């Protein structure tokens, strides 16, 4: 599987998943500088502030890869404003509709998700869940605030 993690932070989910999915590749998309976030996004971040910039620091990720001995070639780090490839799975934990509005990356997400691919998101706002459900055409599987949709082929 080719997996994209939007708002990956320091890549904890990706590092853990990589241990259980030895043939998967991971693209971690996050802004690694606080100054890159626009004022609207900073205000939207539910109480986060500049002292917590380490949550999306690539240096922490690089140290974790070295410490765990994982194959660094399986991971690509990108700024989310860059071009995205095509992915079998797109996930986002505590980012979509938590740290920034759904429409920030929604169009890019739709274009990047392969037909038959899975979209796995933690969602804060029910109206965002409804919009995604209407766009993809069927009800997601869910547990609490976590949702999984499959894009039709």
């Amino acid at each position: 599987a080719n997996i994209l993690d939007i708002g990956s932070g320091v890549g904890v989910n990706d590092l853990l998943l990589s241990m259980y999915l030895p043939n998967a590749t991971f693209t971690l998309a996050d802004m690694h500088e606080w100054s890159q976030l626009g004022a609207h996004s900073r205000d939207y971040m539910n109480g986060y502030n500049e002292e917590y910039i380490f949550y999306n620091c690539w240096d922490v990720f690089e140290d974790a890869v070295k410490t765990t001995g994982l194959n660094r070639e399986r991971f690509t780090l990108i700024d989310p404003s860059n071009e995205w490839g095509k992915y079998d799975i797109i996930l986002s934990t505590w980012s979509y509709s938590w740290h920034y509005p759904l429409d920030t990356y929604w169009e890019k997400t739709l274009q990047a998700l392969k037909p038959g691919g899975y979209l796995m998101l933690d969602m804060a706002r029910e109206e965002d869940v409804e919009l995604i459900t209407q766009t993809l055409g069927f009800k997601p599987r869910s547990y609490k605030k976590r949702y999984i949709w499959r894009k039709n082929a």
Side-chain angles (χ1 to χ4, degrees):
N2 192 8
I3 300 169
L4 171 65
D5 184 355
I6 303 168
S8 64
V10 297
V12 172
N13 290 330
D14 308 286
L15 294 169
L16 290 171
L17 282 171
S18 74
M19 293 178 196
Y20 294 97
L21 302 170
N23 297 320
T25 58
F26 298 85
T27 299
L28 287 66
D30 209 332
M31 294 185 180
H32 53 90
E33 297 290 335
W34 184 261
S35 61
Q36 290 179 293
L37 296 173
H40 178 67
S41 292
R42 286 195 303 266
D43 292 343
Y44 198 82
M45 291 180 69
N46 298 330
Y48 283 80
N49 60 46
E50 291 185 49
E51 70 185 83
Y52 295 108
I53 189 60
F54 69 88
Y55 281 126
N56 57 344
C57 176
W58 293 137
D59 293 339
V60 174
F61 170 80
E62 296 292 356
D63 287 345
V65 170
K66 287 178 189 171
T67 301
T68 58
L70 293 168
N71 179 355
R72 176 61 177 83
E73 292 178 11
R74 294 177 57 203
F75 302 93
T76 302
L77 309 176
I78 65 169
D79 184 290
S81 64
N82 292 351
E83 291 295 316
W84 297 2
K86 294 287 187 180
Y87 300 93
D88 303 298
I89 299 170
I90 297 179
L91 62 95
S92 184
T93 307
W94 299 99
S95 291
Y96 254 95
S97 88
W98 294 90
H99 289 316
Y100 47 79
L102 175 69
D103 62 359
T104 305
Y105 301 117
W106 182 236
E107 289 303 317
K108 287 180 88 167
T109 300
L110 280 176
Q111 292 172 2
L113 186 61
K114 291 179 180 177
Y118 290 92
L119 178 63
M120 301 166 33
L121 306 175
D122 287 340
M123 301 298 293
R125 293 168 177 77
E126 280 300 316
E127 58 269 22
D128 292 343
V129 173
E130 291 171 18
L131 175 67
I132 295 170
T133 300
Q134 289 173 0
T135 303
L136 295 179
F138 65 93
K139 190 172 173 113
R141 293 184 182 193
S142 66
Y143 176 75
K144 296 190 178 182
K145 296 284 187 179
R146 294 183 168 93
Y147 299 87
I148 301 174
W149 293 268
R150 186 160 189 224
K151 186 175 183 180
N152 290 328

